[in-house]
Short mmCIF file of all heavy atoms in Angstrom, two decimals:
data_model
loop_
_atom_site.label_atom_id
_atom_site.label_comp_id
_atom_site.label_asym_id
_atom_site.label_seq_id
_atom_site.Cartn_x
_atom_site.Cartn_y
_atom_site.Cartn_z
N ARG A 99 -13.78 25.00 34.54
CA ARG A 99 -14.12 23.63 34.15
C ARG A 99 -15.62 23.44 34.27
O ARG A 99 -16.31 24.19 34.95
CB ARG A 99 -13.35 22.61 35.00
CG ARG A 99 -13.84 22.45 36.40
CD ARG A 99 -13.02 21.37 37.13
NE ARG A 99 -13.27 21.44 38.56
CZ ARG A 99 -12.39 21.09 39.50
NH1 ARG A 99 -11.19 20.66 39.18
NH2 ARG A 99 -12.71 21.18 40.78
N LEU A 109 -11.51 28.17 37.88
CA LEU A 109 -10.34 27.68 38.63
C LEU A 109 -9.34 28.81 38.87
O LEU A 109 -8.66 28.82 39.89
CB LEU A 109 -9.66 26.55 37.85
CG LEU A 109 -10.52 25.31 37.57
CD1 LEU A 109 -9.73 24.28 36.77
CD2 LEU A 109 -11.04 24.69 38.86
N ALA A 110 -9.22 29.72 37.91
CA ALA A 110 -8.29 30.85 38.07
C ALA A 110 -8.71 31.96 37.11
O ALA A 110 -9.03 31.69 35.95
CB ALA A 110 -6.86 30.43 37.77
N VAL A 126 -3.29 19.04 32.37
CA VAL A 126 -3.39 18.61 33.77
C VAL A 126 -2.34 17.55 34.03
O VAL A 126 -2.17 16.61 33.24
CB VAL A 126 -4.80 18.07 34.08
CG1 VAL A 126 -4.84 17.39 35.44
CG2 VAL A 126 -5.81 19.21 34.04
N ARG A 127 -1.62 17.70 35.15
CA ARG A 127 -0.58 16.75 35.53
C ARG A 127 -1.21 15.65 36.39
O ARG A 127 -2.33 15.82 36.92
CB ARG A 127 0.51 17.50 36.31
CG ARG A 127 1.85 16.80 36.38
CD ARG A 127 2.92 17.77 36.86
NE ARG A 127 4.18 17.04 37.06
CZ ARG A 127 4.52 16.45 38.18
NH1 ARG A 127 3.73 16.50 39.24
NH2 ARG A 127 5.67 15.79 38.27
N ASP A 129 -0.72 14.80 39.29
CA ASP A 129 -1.00 15.19 40.68
C ASP A 129 -2.25 16.08 40.77
O ASP A 129 -2.58 16.58 41.85
CB ASP A 129 0.20 15.91 41.30
CG ASP A 129 0.56 17.20 40.57
OD1 ASP A 129 -0.14 17.58 39.60
OD2 ASP A 129 1.56 17.84 40.97
N GLY A 130 -2.91 16.31 39.62
CA GLY A 130 -4.12 17.13 39.61
C GLY A 130 -3.88 18.61 39.39
O GLY A 130 -4.83 19.37 39.25
N SER A 131 -2.62 19.03 39.36
CA SER A 131 -2.35 20.45 39.11
C SER A 131 -2.69 20.80 37.66
O SER A 131 -2.59 19.95 36.77
CB SER A 131 -0.89 20.79 39.43
OG SER A 131 -0.01 19.96 38.69
N VAL A 132 -3.09 22.05 37.46
CA VAL A 132 -3.52 22.53 36.14
C VAL A 132 -2.50 23.57 35.68
O VAL A 132 -2.26 24.56 36.38
CB VAL A 132 -4.93 23.17 36.23
CG1 VAL A 132 -5.36 23.73 34.89
CG2 VAL A 132 -5.95 22.14 36.74
N TRP A 133 -1.88 23.33 34.53
CA TRP A 133 -0.84 24.22 34.01
C TRP A 133 -1.39 24.88 32.75
O TRP A 133 -1.91 24.20 31.86
CB TRP A 133 0.43 23.43 33.69
CG TRP A 133 1.03 22.71 34.86
CD1 TRP A 133 0.42 21.82 35.70
CD2 TRP A 133 2.38 22.83 35.35
NE1 TRP A 133 1.31 21.37 36.66
CE2 TRP A 133 2.52 21.96 36.47
CE3 TRP A 133 3.50 23.56 34.93
CZ2 TRP A 133 3.71 21.83 37.18
CZ3 TRP A 133 4.70 23.42 35.64
CH2 TRP A 133 4.80 22.57 36.74
N PHE A 134 -1.26 26.21 32.65
CA PHE A 134 -1.82 26.89 31.48
C PHE A 134 -0.94 28.05 31.04
O PHE A 134 -0.15 28.59 31.82
CB PHE A 134 -3.25 27.37 31.76
CG PHE A 134 -3.36 28.46 32.79
CD1 PHE A 134 -3.42 29.80 32.42
CD2 PHE A 134 -3.41 28.16 34.15
CE1 PHE A 134 -3.53 30.81 33.36
CE2 PHE A 134 -3.50 29.17 35.11
CZ PHE A 134 -3.56 30.50 34.71
N TYR A 160 1.43 29.34 34.04
CA TYR A 160 1.01 29.29 35.44
C TYR A 160 0.61 27.88 35.84
O TYR A 160 0.22 27.06 35.00
CB TYR A 160 -0.19 30.21 35.67
CG TYR A 160 0.10 31.68 35.44
CD1 TYR A 160 -0.18 32.27 34.21
CD2 TYR A 160 0.65 32.47 36.45
CE1 TYR A 160 0.08 33.62 33.99
CE2 TYR A 160 0.91 33.82 36.24
CZ TYR A 160 0.62 34.38 35.01
OH TYR A 160 0.87 35.71 34.79
N ARG A 161 0.69 27.65 37.14
CA ARG A 161 0.25 26.37 37.72
C ARG A 161 -0.82 26.65 38.77
O ARG A 161 -0.62 27.53 39.64
CB ARG A 161 1.44 25.66 38.37
CG ARG A 161 1.07 24.38 39.13
CD ARG A 161 2.30 23.84 39.87
NE ARG A 161 2.00 22.60 40.58
CZ ARG A 161 1.48 22.53 41.81
NH1 ARG A 161 1.20 23.65 42.48
NH2 ARG A 161 1.24 21.37 42.37
N ILE A 162 -1.93 25.92 38.69
CA ILE A 162 -2.97 26.01 39.71
C ILE A 162 -2.81 24.80 40.62
O ILE A 162 -2.85 23.65 40.17
CB ILE A 162 -4.38 26.00 39.09
CG1 ILE A 162 -4.51 27.11 38.02
CG2 ILE A 162 -5.44 26.17 40.17
CD1 ILE A 162 -5.81 27.02 37.22
N ASP A 163 -2.65 25.06 41.90
CA ASP A 163 -2.45 23.97 42.86
C ASP A 163 -3.75 23.18 43.03
O ASP A 163 -4.83 23.77 43.17
CB ASP A 163 -2.01 24.56 44.20
CG ASP A 163 -1.58 23.47 45.17
OD1 ASP A 163 -0.41 23.05 45.08
OD2 ASP A 163 -2.43 23.02 45.96
N PRO A 164 -3.65 21.85 43.04
CA PRO A 164 -4.88 21.05 43.16
C PRO A 164 -5.51 21.11 44.55
O PRO A 164 -6.68 20.77 44.71
CB PRO A 164 -4.41 19.63 42.84
CG PRO A 164 -2.96 19.61 43.17
CD PRO A 164 -2.46 21.00 42.89
N GLY A 165 -4.74 21.57 45.54
CA GLY A 165 -5.27 21.63 46.89
C GLY A 165 -5.96 22.96 47.16
O GLY A 165 -7.19 23.05 47.20
N ASP A 166 -5.16 24.02 47.30
CA ASP A 166 -5.73 25.32 47.68
C ASP A 166 -6.03 26.22 46.47
O ASP A 166 -6.48 27.35 46.64
CB ASP A 166 -4.79 26.04 48.65
CG ASP A 166 -3.43 26.35 48.04
OD1 ASP A 166 -3.26 26.20 46.81
OD2 ASP A 166 -2.52 26.74 48.80
N ARG A 167 -5.80 25.72 45.26
CA ARG A 167 -6.06 26.46 44.01
C ARG A 167 -5.23 27.74 43.91
O ARG A 167 -5.59 28.67 43.15
CB ARG A 167 -7.54 26.78 43.84
CG ARG A 167 -8.38 25.54 43.69
CD ARG A 167 -9.71 25.86 43.04
NE ARG A 167 -10.57 24.70 43.04
CZ ARG A 167 -11.85 24.72 42.74
NH1 ARG A 167 -12.44 25.85 42.44
NH2 ARG A 167 -12.56 23.62 42.77
N SER A 168 -4.16 27.84 44.66
CA SER A 168 -3.28 29.00 44.50
C SER A 168 -2.62 28.94 43.12
O SER A 168 -2.37 27.86 42.57
CB SER A 168 -2.22 29.02 45.60
OG SER A 168 -1.47 27.82 45.57
N VAL A 169 -2.36 30.12 42.56
CA VAL A 169 -1.78 30.24 41.23
C VAL A 169 -0.35 30.74 41.36
O VAL A 169 -0.09 31.75 42.02
CB VAL A 169 -2.60 31.22 40.36
CG1 VAL A 169 -1.99 31.37 38.97
CG2 VAL A 169 -4.05 30.75 40.25
N THR A 170 0.59 30.01 40.75
CA THR A 170 1.98 30.45 40.74
C THR A 170 2.46 30.54 39.29
O THR A 170 2.03 29.79 38.43
CB THR A 170 2.90 29.47 41.51
OG1 THR A 170 2.68 28.14 41.02
CG2 THR A 170 2.62 29.50 42.99
N ALA A 171 3.37 31.50 39.04
CA ALA A 171 3.98 31.64 37.71
C ALA A 171 5.17 30.69 37.66
O ALA A 171 6.08 30.80 38.50
CB ALA A 171 4.41 33.08 37.48
N VAL A 172 5.16 29.75 36.72
CA VAL A 172 6.24 28.75 36.68
C VAL A 172 7.24 29.01 35.55
O VAL A 172 8.40 28.63 35.67
CB VAL A 172 5.70 27.30 36.55
CG1 VAL A 172 5.17 26.82 37.88
CG2 VAL A 172 4.65 27.17 35.48
N ASP A 217 10.22 18.59 43.04
CA ASP A 217 8.91 18.72 43.68
C ASP A 217 7.76 18.66 42.68
O ASP A 217 6.59 18.62 43.09
CB ASP A 217 8.83 20.00 44.52
CG ASP A 217 8.93 21.27 43.68
OD1 ASP A 217 8.97 21.17 42.43
OD2 ASP A 217 8.98 22.37 44.27
N GLY A 218 8.08 18.69 41.39
CA GLY A 218 7.04 18.61 40.36
C GLY A 218 6.19 19.86 40.26
O GLY A 218 5.19 19.87 39.54
N ARG A 219 6.59 20.93 40.96
CA ARG A 219 5.76 22.14 40.97
C ARG A 219 6.41 23.31 40.25
O ARG A 219 5.75 24.30 39.97
CB ARG A 219 5.54 22.59 42.42
CG ARG A 219 4.73 21.62 43.25
CD ARG A 219 4.93 21.90 44.72
NE ARG A 219 3.92 21.23 45.50
CZ ARG A 219 2.96 21.85 46.18
NH1 ARG A 219 2.88 23.16 46.19
NH2 ARG A 219 2.07 21.16 46.86
N THR A 220 7.69 23.21 40.01
CA THR A 220 8.44 24.30 39.40
C THR A 220 9.37 23.72 38.34
O THR A 220 9.51 22.51 38.23
CB THR A 220 9.28 25.06 40.45
OG1 THR A 220 10.07 24.09 41.16
CG2 THR A 220 8.40 25.80 41.44
#
Side-chain angles (χ1 to χ4, degrees):
R99 74 178 166 209
L109 300 179
V126 170
R127 199 166 174 271
D129 62 2
S131 56
V132 177
W133 301 54
F134 66 96
Y160 296 96
R161 174 186 181 274
I162 306 171
D163 189 84
D166 62 11
R167 296 200 187 169
S168 58
V169 179
T170 51
V172 283
D217 65 5
R219 295 162 165 248
T220 52

